[in-house]
Amino acid sequence: MTRGTIKAWYLVHKWTSLICTAFLLMLCVTGLPLIFHEEIDGWLDPPAPLAPLPATTPALSLDTILARAAAQAPGDIPLYLSFDDHQPIVYVTTGPTPDAVPAAMHFLALDARTGAMLPPHVDGVMDFILKLHTDMLLGFWAEIFLGFMGLLFFAAIVSGVVLYAPFMAKLDFGTLRRNRSTRLGWLDRHNLLGIVTLVWASVVGLTGTINTLVVPITGIWKANGLAAIIASEARTPLGAQRASVQAALDAVQREAPDMTPQFIAFPGVVFSSKHHYAVFLRGTTPLTAKLLLPGFVDAATGRLDAVTPMPWYMQAMLLAQPLHFGDYGGMAMKIVWAVFDALTIVVLGSGLYLWLRRRGGPSEQRVREVVMAGEA
């Protein structure tokens, strides 16, 4: 590799790293507790005990559940209905309009067997950390900005790998020169840990970027896949009286009896059309539980219009979020994710330290440092 090529890659690594490091440090620090968000939430805010009923107690009709939720939020309309993965609990989200902002929504939890209202969720420290992690408390465009930082991080990783080859040409892999200067020792640690965390950091950086694009990706899906479904049938105008939500779920489940319901999106919200109940089913294995199959039921007539797999880009988005937080392999995978997260914090911090303690002079000296394995 020529000096000119090394210099170009060095400048890419330098500037992509400098621009994104502060934000990546924030994301890694806030992401560490979010890996264990379920366990921390269960400790800080344990779920309310449910009525001790036999395991065979049947669930109420979803229409009954919705009627009880409506009584708690008069004037609202249902937006989403979701199902707890571990307990017989149904969550109902309501709001004044289908496009209501989260601050205007009401979030209700009901016992699926009795319809009893459960204590409302109160935002706590983990909700604050999640909001800080996703958009720095600044909304949609801040979320998009963090996605761009994720792309810069990936560029920094790629350029760092390219520079690692000439740097290590004069050294054995994993060499830590402890008997030399402090800066040289941290340079060796930075390079070694950067290679060790290479795959993990790439996966988490790219899935994090994908997670920031939920709104535009879903918009593409609605403009393409849903458009054909919406246009395929004449529509009966939606009025106050709508088709049974329970019947809609039953109709979709008959098409995929081996799957279980994940959530139902009501007409007008992000994951549905203006005319449909969108019923999302999930698989029952650790992998297929993250992949959703939607069915669309006309909310005016109750007619099942389609049960169709989501396109690859929507499936990629659905897989990205749990993969980003290591939510696939139970506690063992979460611990691995936490270890790599901590190592990445060291990589980012050491890179910042190396820049602050840089030797004076133009970038040509940095290039010579790469060629001479830090001896320049």
Side-chain angles (χ1 to χ4, degrees):
M1 189 182 299
T2 66
R3 281 179 175 266
T5 303
I6 292 176
K7 182 177 180 179
W9 280 109
Y10 166 76
L11 291 174
V12 171
H13 187 67
K14 172 186 174 180
W15 289 111
T16 55
S17 299
L18 285 178
I19 293 170
C20 74
T21 289
F23 299 100
L24 263 296
L25 276 171
M26 181 276 294
L27 291 171
C28 286
V29 171
T30 55
L32 191 55
L34 289 173
I35 295 171
F36 304 101
H37 69 97
E38 291 183 354
E39 292 77 12
I40 295 174
D41 277 340
W43 173 55
L44 294 177
D45 185 22
L50 300 179
L53 299 176
T56 56
T57 303
L60 294 175
S61 165
L62 294 182
D63 300 302
T64 301
I65 294 289
L66 284 172
R68 298 194 181 187
Q72 299 296 317
D76 279 6
I77 58 174
L79 305 179
Y80 294 97
L81 187 153
S82 59
F83 304 86
D84 193 280
D85 293 339
H86 308 293
Q87 301 182 85
I89 298 175
V90 175
Y91 302 99
V92 180
T93 302
T94 67
T97 60
D99 59 352
V101 297
M105 297 177 183
H106 295 96
F107 304 93
L108 308 170
L110 298 90
D111 188 321
R113 307 160 303 171
T114 66
M117 294 295 303
L118 300 174
H121 173 75
V122 178
D123 286 352
V125 62
M126 294 306 296
D127 297 282
F128 173 80
I129 292 174
L130 178 60
K131 190 67 175 170
L132 185 62
H133 185 84
T134 54
D135 63 14
M136 300 184 292
L137 312 177
L138 296 175
F140 172 75
W141 288 110
E143 188 172 355
I144 296 296
F145 173 80
L146 288 178
F148 179 63
M149 291 300 102
L151 291 179
L152 288 183
F153 180 48
F154 185 69
I157 292 171
V158 172
S159 57
V161 171
V162 173
L163 292 172
Y164 189 69
F167 182 88
M168 292 303 295
K170 298 178 181 296
L171 300 170
D172 293 330
F173 177 79
T175 297
L176 297 176
R177 291 165 288 184
R178 298 184 178 88
N179 59 336
R180 306 298 294 275
S181 68
T182 300
R183 183 182 182 280
L184 196 58
W186 274 110
L187 180 62
D188 289 341
R189 294 184 184 93
H190 176 81
N191 290 334
L192 176 60
L193 292 179
I195 291 299
V196 169
T197 59
L198 168 66
V199 174
W200 181 89
S202 299
V203 168
V204 171
L206 290 176
T207 55
T209 297
I210 292 171
N211 289 339
T212 67
L213 301 175
V214 170
V215 172
I217 289 175
T218 305
I220 293 171
W221 171 60
K222 291 182 71 172
N224 293 281
L226 284 192
I229 297 172
I230 295 169
S232 63
E233 301 283 352
R235 296 285 153 218
T236 300
L238 286 178
Q241 295 297 320
R242 300 187 179 183
S244 164
V245 176
Q246 182 65 56
L249 172 60
D250 293 341
V252 175
Q253 281 202 286
R254 281 194 292 271
E255 299 297 316
D258 296 331
M259 305 183 78
T260 59
Q262 178 76 9
F263 72 94
I264 299 173
F266 286 76
V269 302
V270 171
F271 284 94
S272 187
S273 75
K274 294 181 179 180
H275 302 278
H276 288 95
Y277 297 133
V279 180
F280 288 81
L281 306 180
R282 64 179 179 88
T284 55
T285 67
L287 178 61
T288 60
K290 312 301 181 182
L291 298 174
L292 302 182
L293 176 68
F296 299 92
V297 177
D298 190 303
T301 65
R303 179 186 62 231
L304 176 62
D305 282 345
V307 177
T308 180
M310 295 178 120
W312 67 268
Y313 53 87
M314 285 294 289
Q315 299 289 18
M317 184 188 75
L318 293 171
L319 290 172
Q321 185 170 9
L323 183 58
H324 184 70
F325 291 109
D327 194 17
Y328 271 107
M331 182 55 67
M333 187 171 181
K334 291 185 178 184
I335 292 173
V336 170
W337 246 236
V339 169
F340 276 103
D341 188 302
L343 291 177
T344 302
I345 291 174
V346 176
V347 173
L348 294 169
S350 60
L352 188 59
Y353 166 81
L354 291 169
W355 181 76
L356 293 173
R357 290 292 302 273
R358 66 194 182 282
R359 301 168 184 172
S363 60
E364 185 63 33
Q365 288 187 250
R366 308 285 78 74
V367 174
R368 189 159 56 251
E369 186 175 67
V370 172
V371 174
M372 302 301 293
E375 300 290 351

